[in-house]
Amino acid sequence: MAIDINNVYQTVMYILNKEQRGYIPPTEFNSLAEQAQLTIFEKYFEDLNQALRMPPNDSEYSNRVKTIQEKIDMFAVSSAFVNSNKKLSDLSPELHRLGTIEYTKDFSLPVELEEMTRHDFNLAIRSNLTRPTEDYPAFTIKGDDIVTFPNDLPVDKLTVFYIKKPQKPEWNYSLGQVGNYIFNPVTAITNPSVDFEISSIDQVELINTILTYCGVIIRDQQVIQTAAAFVGQENQNEKS
């Protein structure tokens, strides 16, 4: 479930203005919101790595591995390459982390391509014993390109599974008669706002993270320390 962008914006503005700490215009808020979302999103992968190393928990509602995996799965997508060059940048929506690539031969079950380092890939294709085949294909990444072997695998038979990048949150507005900002909801026809895509479970951490950034901009050490303390405590509670 997404996080309402206006709810977060109003909360941040209320906290900043309550004691006249300062003001963050919408354009700056949107930049901070994007960075905060990416920070929390990237932390999902670190948290999952840590949770997998901890003793298993079979509780239905407090299983950390399950909870974090569900957050990540919200961004799991599959896509085909849009051209014969097999470029990662051509995938839509935008790729964040690559998962697997499958090749579906006519009238056969999909086969997963083995991912290799460029060094191992170059060695493998030079040997008749280790050279990948159509039944056991492989790939390596060279910059933005996916290089497969056999290299003539039909592009329309390849499916890429990956984690997409969260869409950029936007608190968009129209100007009122006195120059005030009037919120444009996500359903607006013109210049609609965009909600946060990360899990609603992280709304408190999201707000505190944005407040930390706001404190840096308005140079208010108390805002920075208070928000950072809340974020730190929240992270500690998740890992304890």
Side-chain angles (χ1 to χ4, degrees):
M1 183 176 179
I3 300 176
D4 185 276
I5 184 76
N6 190 44
N7 188 303
V8 173
Y9 177 83
Q10 297 297 341
T11 302
V12 169
M13 293 302 111
Y14 172 77
I15 294 173
L16 289 179
N17 296 332
K18 184 178 180 181
E19 298 181 6
Q20 299 181 342
R21 294 289 183 184
Y23 178 74
I24 299 294
T27 51
E28 290 190 7
F29 171 82
N30 287 335
S31 297
L32 301 181
E34 180 184 18
Q35 183 59 45
Q37 176 172 249
L38 287 174
T39 298
I40 295 173
F41 175 65
E42 190 59 40
K43 193 164 71 68
Y44 288 165
F45 303 96
E46 300 174 9
D47 291 345
L48 180 60
N49 183 46
Q50 290 186 358
L52 288 171
R53 291 182 291 178
M54 298 178 65
N57 182 347
D58 295 329
S59 174
E60 179 68 20
Y61 300 108
S62 60
N63 187 317
R64 288 191 178 91
V65 173
K66 178 184 175 183
T67 299
I68 301 170
Q69 191 64 63
E70 287 176 347
K71 293 180 181 181
I72 296 174
D73 287 346
M74 293 168 56
F75 301 90
V77 296
S78 61
S79 176
F81 290 111
V82 297
N83 59 49
S84 59
N85 295 327
K86 303 172 187 161
K87 289 187 175 294
L88 293 173
S89 59
D90 289 336
L91 293 173
S92 180
E94 187 177 353
L95 177 144
H96 183 72
R97 292 199 179 198
L98 181 64
T100 59
I101 301 177
E102 287 186 351
Y103 167 58
T104 306
K105 190 177 179 181
D106 292 338
F107 309 110
S108 301
L109 293 174
V111 176
E112 184 177 315
L113 278 69
E114 179 183 359
E115 183 175 5
M116 294 182 172
T117 65
R118 292 176 63 176
H119 174 73
D120 290 343
F121 184 85
N122 291 334
L123 290 178
I125 64 178
R126 293 172 184 169
S127 169
N128 290 330
L129 294 176
T130 60
R131 182 178 300 160
T133 65
E134 190 175 14
D135 291 327
Y136 300 98
F139 77 94
T140 190
I141 301 175
K142 292 185 178 181
D144 188 40
D145 298 320
I146 293 290
V147 181
T148 64
F149 199 94
N151 55 19
D152 59 351
L153 293 178
V155 175
D156 61 345
K157 301 294 184 182
L158 296 175
T159 304
V160 187
F161 297 86
Y162 62 99
I163 300 298
K164 72 181 183 71
K165 187 177 181 180
Q167 62 180 343
K168 182 180 178 180
E170 292 278 356
W171 192 90
N172 288 324
Y173 60 91
S174 55
L175 289 177
Q177 294 182 348
V178 294
N180 56 312
Y181 299 121
I182 301 175
F183 173 65
N184 289 349
V186 297
T187 55
I189 297 176
T190 304
N191 198 27
S193 294
V194 180
D195 285 336
F196 293 94
E197 276 199 309
I198 57 175
S199 172
S200 57
I201 298 174
D202 298 308
Q203 180 164 336
V204 173
E205 182 178 354
L206 176 66
I207 291 172
N208 287 328
T209 301
I210 295 174
L211 283 171
T212 302
Y213 297 151
C214 289
V216 174
I217 291 177
I218 64 178
R219 299 181 181 180
D220 191 313
Q221 194 65 29
Q222 184 173 347
V223 172
I224 297 173
Q225 293 175 348
T226 302
F230 279 123
V231 172
Q233 185 60 51
E234 187 76 15
N235 292 335
Q236 185 63 35
N237 291 339
E238 290 178 359
K239 298 174 182 178
S240 60

